[in-house]
Amino acid sequence: MSQIEASPELTEIVEPHGHATGAQWLSRYSASLLGVFGTPQRVLVRGAGCLVWDADGKEYLDLLGGIAVNALGHAHPFVTSVISSQLATLGHVSNFFTSPTQIGLAEKLLEISKAPAGSKVFFANSGTEAVEAAFKLARRNAGTAAKPRTKIIALDGAFHGRTMGALALTSKEAYRAPFAPLPGGVVHVPFGDIEALRAATDDTTAAVFLEPIQGEAGVRPLPAGYLQAAREATSAAGALLILDEVQTGIGRTGKWLASEDAGIVPDAVTLAKGLGGGFPIGALITFGPGVSSLLTAGQHGTTFGGNPVATAAALATLHVLENQHVLGHVRETGEHLRAGLAAIDGVTEVRGEGLLIGFDLDADVAPAVVTAGLDAGFIINSPTPRTIRLAPPLILTTDQADRFLAALPALLQTAKDAQ
Ligand SMILES: *Cc1c(COP(=O)(O)O)cnc(C)c1O
C-alpha cells in the first residue's frame, strides 16, 4: 500500500506509477519546485498528534510543529472535523460577503487579546500579510504635510516576513540585500537597548515594530521593562506600537499573547502561525477606535483573507486550546523541558517561554544536531549555527519531552563527531 493514505484517488493522481521513495520524490521536487528552500529534509506523508511519518515509513517526534504552526499537532480530530464540515457547507465567498465564522473569530480574537472597545480585526492568509497590513496601518499614521511621519523603527535581529514591506522590517542583510530598494523609511535599532529606542522615536516616527521574543534570531526575549518603555516612548511621540506576535501568539508561550503580562495596550498586534492549527490564516488586531479607523474603506483588501474554512479552523483551534486548558499544560511542559535542557552537558543557555524554546550549544554544531535528530527520529530546528529551536505542538506530553531529553546527549555527540 502507498504511504499516502489521504485518499486512493489522490494517490493515483500524484503517484500514477506506483509507490515513490523519499529519494524519488526529492528528485521530482528539485525538477519542479523553485529552489528558494534548498533541498527539503524529508518528504512527509502523514501525521497524528505530535508524530509524523515520511515517504519511507520512518516515524518522527515533531518538536518544531511546522515552525510553531501545528498548535494541536497533526490531524487533530476536532479541528479536522470542523474544517471538513465548513468546507462541505461553504468554502469561499470573497470579501464582498462575510460569514458567521469570520465574525465569530474576530469577536473571539478581540476577547482573548483583551482589546478595548472599538478594537477591530483584519484577516490575512499568512504572517507576512498580517505584517503588510500593519505596515500600511503605520503609513496611515502619516502626520501632517509640515511634519510628516515617515520613519518606521524595527530591531536588529527582527524577522517580520518575506514580502517587500515585511522584508523592509526584517533585519537580516542576506534576506534584504538582493531585493533593494525596499519600501523606505525603516531604521533598525540595537536589540534590547531601551535608550537607543527612546533616542530614535521622535515626532517623525509612524510606528515601532517589536517581537516580544525574537524567534528567528534564536528565541531572544526582550529584556524586562522594554515593552513598557517602548509604550511610553511611542505614546509620547505619537507613534504606533505594533507587536508582531505571529510566532509568540495564540498560546505558544502559555499565554494568549506573549505580551499580555507587560501591562500595556499596544496599538496593533499581528498573529498567524498557530492561529489556524495548521490551516493558513493571519490576522491584524487594531486596538481602540482611533487606530481602528486609520485604514478606511478601499485602502486595503484581500481575496482569500478571512475565508470561512480558515476562520472555522481558527475557531476550532481556539476552542480546544481554551476548553482543554492547553495553556496551563504549555507552561508546565515548557518549564519541564527547559529544566531538562539546562541540565544537559554541552547546553550553555536555555531561553524562551512556554513551548517556544531556544538553547545554545558549546560549539557551532546546531545544523549537525538537526541532522542527527532526523536520523534518530526527532524534528528540531537550528535558527543560528549555535542555537536549537523547539516549537512543538502545544499538546506535547511530558513523556514525549522526556524522550527528546534522553536522546539529546547522543545527538550532540554525533554532531561533534561529524565535525
Ligand atoms: C514567521 C513569522 C512571520 C512571517 O510569517 P509567514 O507566514 O511565514 O509569512 C512574521 N513575523 C514573525 C515574528 C514570524 O515568526
Side-chain angles (χ1 to χ4, degrees):
M1 191 175 71
S2 165
Q3 294 296 322
I4 301 177
E5 295 177 352
S7 79
E9 295 86 349
L10 198 54
T11 301
E12 185 55 33
I13 293 168
V14 295
E15 291 186 299
H17 308 299
H19 174 62
T21 64
Q24 288 167 331
W25 280 119
L26 286 179
S27 99
R28 286 170 62 182
Y29 178 98
S30 51
S32 58
L33 281 119
L34 206 60
V36 293
F37 300 107
T39 304
Q41 295 167 320
R42 293 290 191 274
V43 182
L44 300 178
V45 297
R46 192 162 61 85
C50 298
L51 301 177
V52 286
W53 288 267
D54 72 14
D56 301 315
K58 187 175 165 70
E59 179 183 298
Y60 302 85
L61 178 61
D62 185 358
L63 293 161
L64 187 58
I67 319 182
V69 167
N70 296 302
L72 297 173
H74 299 272
H76 189 279
F78 182 70
V79 178
T80 305
S81 131
V82 167
I83 289 174
S84 305
S85 53
Q86 181 60 51
L87 185 58
T89 307
L90 184 69
H92 175 80
V93 296
S94 91
N95 283 298
F96 290 136
F97 304 92
T98 185
S99 64
T101 54
Q102 183 181 75
I103 297 161
L105 180 61
E107 291 170 349
K108 191 70 196 168
L109 289 178
L110 294 175
E111 177 199 319
I112 65 175
S113 64
K114 301 190 179 71
S119 300
K120 297 287 173 62
V121 177
F122 173 82
F123 287 118
N125 309 289
S126 65
T128 204
E129 284 175 75
V131 171
E132 288 296 325
F135 198 117
K136 287 179 74 172
L137 182 80
R139 281 281 197 259
R140 295 306 305 141
N141 185 29
T144 62
K147 265 241 162 289
R149 294 180 179 274
T150 50
K151 193 198 300 184
I152 296 182
I153 299 173
L155 298 193
D156 287 346
F159 183 86
H160 295 291
R162 304 288 207 133
T163 54
M164 294 299 267
L167 188 55
L169 299 166
T170 292
S171 84
K172 195 170 178 173
E173 210 40 41
Y175 293 168
R176 301 167 55 89
F179 306 103
L182 294 169
V186 179
V187 299
H188 288 89
V189 298
F191 175 84
D193 182 339
I194 290 171
E195 280 318 311
L197 182 70
R198 279 199 191 110
T201 307
D202 56 23
D203 60 4
T204 70
T205 307
V208 173
F209 280 77
L210 299 174
E211 299 159 85
I213 301 174
Q214 287 189 338
E216 302 304 307
V219 189
R220 280 203 296 186
L222 286 172
Y226 190 96
L227 283 174
Q228 293 85 343
R231 178 67 285 180
E232 278 168 30
T234 48
S235 294
L240 303 181
L241 177 62
I242 300 176
L243 301 182
D244 184 350
E245 294 234 28
V246 164
Q247 188 157 160
T248 53
I250 311 297
R252 177 53 51 190
T253 65
K255 299 174 277 186
W256 287 120
L257 298 179
S259 56
E260 75 187 24
D261 290 344
I264 59 158
V265 181
D267 293 302
V269 167
T270 53
L271 298 169
K273 289 192 165 86
L275 177 57
F279 208 89
I281 183 169
L284 171 72
I285 306 177
T286 54
F287 286 71
V291 182
S292 299
S293 54
L294 284 176
L295 283 167
T296 58
Q299 288 186 339
H300 196 43
T302 163
T303 299
F304 292 114
N307 158 301
V309 182
T311 48
L315 278 169
T317 303
L318 294 175
H319 180 83
V320 175
L321 290 176
E322 194 163 41
N323 287 271
Q324 298 188 2
H325 311 291
V326 177
L327 272 51
H329 171 81
V330 168
R331 293 192 291 272
E332 283 164 25
T333 318
E335 235 160 73
H336 178 79
L337 250 177
R338 277 193 300 280
L341 289 166
I344 287 173
D345 223 29
V347 173
T348 58
E349 186 176 296
V350 184
R351 294 179 299 275
E353 239 189 298
L355 286 172
L356 179 59
I357 298 176
F359 58 96
D360 288 346
L361 308 174
D362 58 2
D364 286 355
V365 293
V369 173
V370 171
T371 304
L374 281 171
D375 291 342
F378 297 99
I379 296 179
I380 56 177
N381 164 252
S382 56
T384 81
R386 239 171 220 248
T387 308
I388 300 289
R389 171 175 51 176
L390 308 178
L394 305 180
I395 56 169
L396 185 81
T397 66
T398 309
D399 282 354
Q400 288 169 329
D402 285 342
R403 256 181 64 201
F404 176 67
L405 290 172
L408 185 57
L411 302 184
L412 298 179
Q413 196 54 53
T414 306
K416 285 179 181 169
D417 290 348
Q419 287 303 94

